[in-house]
């Protein structure tokens, strides 16, 4: 079932008897689980809504689902992160329940952890059984357009407005997990109070991802901004970020610059790099790289990548202090950026 069809069911209160909700975006799984639970039970929630965790057995779930609702059209049983990889008797009991689920119950399997569908025959069988009896809904990661609408909506609910450029900045700053974005927007709106949200508001209260800080550091390095680059390095090392991972993030930004510069020099649109280099849902990185790379020629960027490669080898193959390795590499990058 598509998400749109699930929304229609919720509006019309016409529910499937069984649901399996899963996907890359846990926030959506939790959101729709809560919506189904809320709208499927119309009275005596304390009796007609039962919740189980991943330790629940098939016997417990079946007993709850088969019990009649109290003074309500239906009851709801929510199972969080059910484990389909169980023993034969439990698997058989669950198969029996799903073969003919009670009409008086809405049974929801809400899975926010990753499931390896390719390697597990039990999960495949479970999914097929749910699909035959009810609805399977997968929630993929949202693209930037959908995340932007999500952020704008959150801001409006809290009496604030979110300009497009600040919205893009917030996404670059905090990543794409909806639960993180909801939390950060809550803080930004509380800090702003009302009216238009600015970058300054975001910088003041948002917790930035390592990738975002590394990207800002790369921007500072390419701009020759010594103070900002080393201040951000201090921040990341204070947060105990892994040096190898940190260097990888900086290197990734320079790879983006190199690809963008090569595309521009060959007369290509940088967005044409999206498919061959897997920038799907991250086209903003190419646009940012296209602006920043104009300060460099290809030879300079080759030299930058060589510096980063040597630093990577030094981090992994010597006992030199990691901070010294990173600071030395950054100094070399700043020198390259200063050459015109």
């Amino acid at each position: 079932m598509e998400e749109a069809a699930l929304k229609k069911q919720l509006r019309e209160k016409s529910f499937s008897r069984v649901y399996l909700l899963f996907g890359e975006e846990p926030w959506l799984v939790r959101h729709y689980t809560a919506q189904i639970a809320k709208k499927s039970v119309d009275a005596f929630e304390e009796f007609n809504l039962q919740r189980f965790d991943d330790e629940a057995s098939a016997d417990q779930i079946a007993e709850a689902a088969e019990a009649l609702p109290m003074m309500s059209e239906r009851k709801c049983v929510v199972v969080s992160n059910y484990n389909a990889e169980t023993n034969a008797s439990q698997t058989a009991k669950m198969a029996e329940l799903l073969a003919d689920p009670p009409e008086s119950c809405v049974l929801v399997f809400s899975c926010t952890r990753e499931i390896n569908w390719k390697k597990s025959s039990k999960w495949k069988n479970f999914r097929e059984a749910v699909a035959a009896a009810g609805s399977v809904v997968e929630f993929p990661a949202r693209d930037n357009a959908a995340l932007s609408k999500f952020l704008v909506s959150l801001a409006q609910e809290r009496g604030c407005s979110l300009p497009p450029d600040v919205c893009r900045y917030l996404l670059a700053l905090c990543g794409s997990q909806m639960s993180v974005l909801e939390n950060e927007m809550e803080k930004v709106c509380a800090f702003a109070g009302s009216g238009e949200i600015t970058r300054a508001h975001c910088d003041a209260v948002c917790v930035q991802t390592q990738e975002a800080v590394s990207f800002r550091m790369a921007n500072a390095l390419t701009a020759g901004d010594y103070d900002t680059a080393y201040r951000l390095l201090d921040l990341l090392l204070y947060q105990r970020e892994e040096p190898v991972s940190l260097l990888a993030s900086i290197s990734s930004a320079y790879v983006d610059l190199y690809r963008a510069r090569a595309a521009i020099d060959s007369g290509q649109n940088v967005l044409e790099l999206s498919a061959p280099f897997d920038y799907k849902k991250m086209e903003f990185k190419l646009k940012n790289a296209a602006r920043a790379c104009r300060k460099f020629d290809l030879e300079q960027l080759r030299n930058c990548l060589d510096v980063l490669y040597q630093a990577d080898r030094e981090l992994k193959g010597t006992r030199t202090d990691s901070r010294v390795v990173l600071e030395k590499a950054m100094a070399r990058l700043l020198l390259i950026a200063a050459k015109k």
Side-chain angles (χ1 to χ4, degrees), residues 227-240:
D227 288 338
T228 299
Y230 280 88
R231 178 172 54 79
L232 292 172
L233 176 63
D234 283 338
L235 172 63
L236 289 167
L237 292 177
Y238 175 76
Q239 292 175 343
R240 298 189 178 183

Side-chain angles (χ1 to χ4, degrees), residues 85-101:
E85 298 280 356
T86 187
N87 61 52
S89 63
Q90 291 295 299
T91 300
K93 182 65 179 180
M94 182 56 67
E96 180 185 340
L97 173 64
L98 295 177
D100 186 23

Side-chain angles (χ1 to χ4, degrees), residues 129-329:
V130 173
S135 301
V136 174
V137 190
E138 181 176 4
F139 299 98
R142 290 295 204 243
D143 60 20
N144 278 356
L147 290 173
S148 296
K149 290 181 181 178
F150 175 66
L151 287 173
V152 169
S153 175
L154 290 175
Q156 290 174 344
E157 289 172 6
R158 292 159 177 78
C160 296
S161 62
L162 185 65
D165 61 322
V166 180
C167 184
R168 290 190 294 270
Y169 180 67
L170 189 59
L171 287 171
L173 210 61
C174 302
S176 58
Q177 285 289 325
M178 293 176 74
S179 57
V180 174
L181 291 172
E182 181 182 40
N183 185 60
E184 296 308 304
M185 182 56 70
E186 184 80 38
K187 292 193 297 184
V188 170
C189 290
F191 183 73
S194 61
E196 186 173 282
I197 294 170
T198 66
R199 287 192 177 202
H201 293 142
C202 299
D203 288 336
V205 297
C206 286
V207 175
Q208 302 176 30
T209 63
Q210 178 196 313
E211 184 181 10
V213 178
S214 300
F215 181 78
R216 288 177 62 199
M217 186 190 301
N219 279 346
L221 290 169
T222 57
D225 187 347
Y226 177 97
D227 288 338
T228 299
Y230 280 88
R231 178 172 54 79
L232 292 172
L233 176 63
D234 283 338
L235 172 63
L236 289 167
L237 292 177
Y238 175 76
Q239 292 175 343
R240 298 189 178 183
E241 298 290 355
E242 183 63 36
V244 172
S245 176
L246 173 55
L247 183 65
S249 296
I250 299 171
S251 300
S252 176
Y254 274 88
V255 169
D256 293 341
L257 292 174
Y258 183 84
R259 288 170 176 167
R261 180 77 262 181
I264 291 170
D265 287 357
S266 63
Q268 283 185 291
N269 186 323
V270 292
L271 294 181
E272 292 178 27
L273 301 172
S274 180
F277 293 107
D278 195 23
Y279 285 94
K280 186 180 180 183
K281 300 179 183 177
M282 295 187 293
E283 286 83 358
F284 70 92
K285 293 177 69 175
L286 290 172
K287 293 177 182 178
N288 292 336
R291 288 191 295 269
C293 75
R294 298 184 185 278
K295 303 170 186 175
F296 298 89
D297 57 33
L298 275 179
E299 185 62 27
Q300 285 177 297
L301 289 170
R302 288 191 188 102
N303 291 336
C304 289
L305 292 176
D306 185 58
V307 167
L308 292 163
Y309 169 68
Q310 295 301 328
D312 185 64
R313 291 190 63 183
E314 198 170 351
L315 277 178
K316 295 174 180 176
T318 71
R319 294 185 179 181
T320 307
D321 183 88
S322 57
R323 185 187 186 99
V324 172
V325 174
L326 291 170
E327 288 186 345
K328 185 169 63 173

Side-chain angles (χ1 to χ4, degrees), residues 53-54 56-58 61 79-86 90-91 94 109-111 113 115 123 126:
D53 59 20
D54 57 353
S57 67
I61 296 166
V79 186
S80 297
N81 291 318
Y82 172 72
N83 181 19
E85 298 280 356
T86 187
Q90 291 295 299
T91 300
M94 182 56 67
F109 293 95
S110 177
C111 296
R113 63 188 177 194
I115 300 170
W123 269 113
F126 178 76

